Amino acid sequence: MGVANYITAVLNFIAFLCSIAIIASGIWLAQKPDNVCIHIFRWPVIVLGFLILLVSLAGFVGACCYKKALLGFYLCCMAILIALSLILLVFAFVVTRPDGSYDVPGRGYKEYRLDGYSSWLRNRIAGSESWNKIRACLADSDVCLKLTQQQYMTADQFFATHLSPLQSGCCKPPTVCGYTFVNPALWTNPTNPMGGPDCNLWSNDQTQLCYNCNSCRAGLLGNLRSEWREANIILIVAVVVLICVYVIGCSALKNAQTEELFRRYKQGWI
């Protein structure tokens, strides 16, 4: 194997490792309770990672066996996948940039406004047609059950705890309603029942809670935003590495072709 082919093989192994990181981030996203209930967000990252894995393997085999056609296929496909990765990153950044969270005085958690998130997310996730299925899925999950299993002796202990956006929006009534804390699953005597549309939607029924509330929709979007921004860090690093690998690989292949032409020229001249 020539030096250029050896370099190309090593670079493709690095691309293979990047694909594993992308697949792992996709699996991490898919296992989150909110993504389990939203199928459209579960697969793009995993599929992209598997495609990069297959292409990098093709490039590795092409470099080891010096298959020019396979190397050409690898370079073409990798360029397309890098472009798709960049599009996915920009899209994810744009739709998750708006933040609907706000601080609540005297609380260790935040609460969330639906209108604080991008219109694309609101239309795809919080619309009435999509929400009926998502709501039923959330009710069957253990998101709020985990909260009730923790021991809170007093209201102050509960108010000081950290809640995920999903728990804050779906598992308790909005603070503005003035409900009295009895335990995480039981709230009574609202002092401000007209404080917002969600105040009358709260139910102590464990299958209802605040799953019909706008705060629950906003909490779901808050969870998605947080998780996708964490996954984006891995994607950004992986894409930067892939771009470097691609540029170096193109340069190595071009140099190898130039050396081969020069060698043939010298043989023909001699």
Side-chain angles (χ1 to χ4, degrees), residues 179-249:
Y179 277 85
T180 301
F181 173 88
V182 178
N183 62 55
L186 182 63
W187 300 73
T188 60
N189 304 324
T191 58
N192 186 25
M194 303 303 292
D198 290 346
C199 295
N200 292 323
L201 294 176
W202 167 260
S203 171
N204 287 316
D205 183 345
Q206 294 303 292
T207 63
Q208 299 294 325
L209 298 179
C210 218
Y211 293 127
N212 286 319
C213 302
N214 282 335
S215 64
C216 187
R217 293 173 170 87
L220 177 66
L221 298 185
N223 253 43
L224 286 173
R225 179 183 185 275
S226 175
E227 291 160 4
W228 269 90
R229 285 189 163 261
E230 290 180 29
N232 276 354
I233 297 173
I234 297 175
L235 290 175
I236 289 171
V237 173
V239 169
V240 169
V241 173
L242 286 175
I243 291 173
C244 293
V245 165
Y246 183 79
V247 171
I248 297 172

Side-chain angles (χ1 to χ4, degrees), residues 66-266:
Y66 196 55
K67 300 290 185 180
K68 291 184 179 180
L70 199 55
L71 285 173
F73 171 80
Y74 152 75
L75 290 174
C76 179
C77 290
M78 187 59 76
I80 295 173
L81 290 175
I82 289 173
L84 289 175
S85 300
L86 289 172
I87 292 171
L88 178 63
L89 276 173
V90 172
F91 175 76
F93 177 78
V94 170
V95 299
T96 60
R97 188 166 181 266
D99 183 10
S101 66
Y102 61 94
D103 293 318
V104 182
R107 301 292 188 267
Y109 49 80
K110 293 184 177 183
E111 293 188 348
Y112 301 84
R113 296 188 183 93
L114 186 58
D115 58 4
Y117 294 98
S118 70
S119 58
W120 190 90
L121 279 177
R122 295 200 307 270
N123 293 336
R124 295 297 184 283
I125 307 303
S128 58
E129 293 183 4
S130 303
W131 187 252
N132 289 333
K133 294 181 180 179
I134 296 172
R135 178 204 166 283
C137 177
L138 290 175
D140 290 336
S141 71
D142 61 352
V143 172
C144 294
L145 180 62
K146 288 180 179 179
L147 195 60
T148 60
Q149 290 173 345
Q150 299 183 37
Q151 298 296 322
Y152 297 103
M153 302 303 294
T154 65
D156 288 339
Q157 288 181 344
F158 179 83
F159 294 149
T161 195
H162 170 75
L163 302 179
S164 70
L166 199 57
Q167 289 175 325
S168 176
C170 302
C171 305
K172 65 169 192 60
T175 301
V176 69
C177 303
Y179 277 85
T180 301
F181 173 88
V182 178
N183 62 55
L186 182 63
W187 300 73
T188 60
N189 304 324
T191 58
N192 186 25
M194 303 303 292
D198 290 346
C199 295
N200 292 323
L201 294 176
W202 167 260
S203 171
N204 287 316
D205 183 345
Q206 294 303 292
T207 63
Q208 299 294 325
L209 298 179
C210 218
Y211 293 127
N212 286 319
C213 302
N214 282 335
S215 64
C216 187
R217 293 173 170 87
L220 177 66
L221 298 185
N223 253 43
L224 286 173
R225 179 183 185 275
S226 175
E227 291 160 4
W228 269 90
R229 285 189 163 261
E230 290 180 29
N232 276 354
I233 297 173
I234 297 175
L235 290 175
I236 289 171
V237 173
V239 169
V240 169
V241 173
L242 286 175
I243 291 173
C244 293
V245 165
Y246 183 79
V247 171
I248 297 172
C250 286
S251 178
L253 187 61
K254 184 178 179 181
N255 290 338
Q257 291 174 339
T258 302
E259 289 174 2
E260 183 179 358
L261 286 174
F262 184 69
R263 179 178 56 81
R264 289 181 179 179
Y265 174 76
K266 284 182 64 178

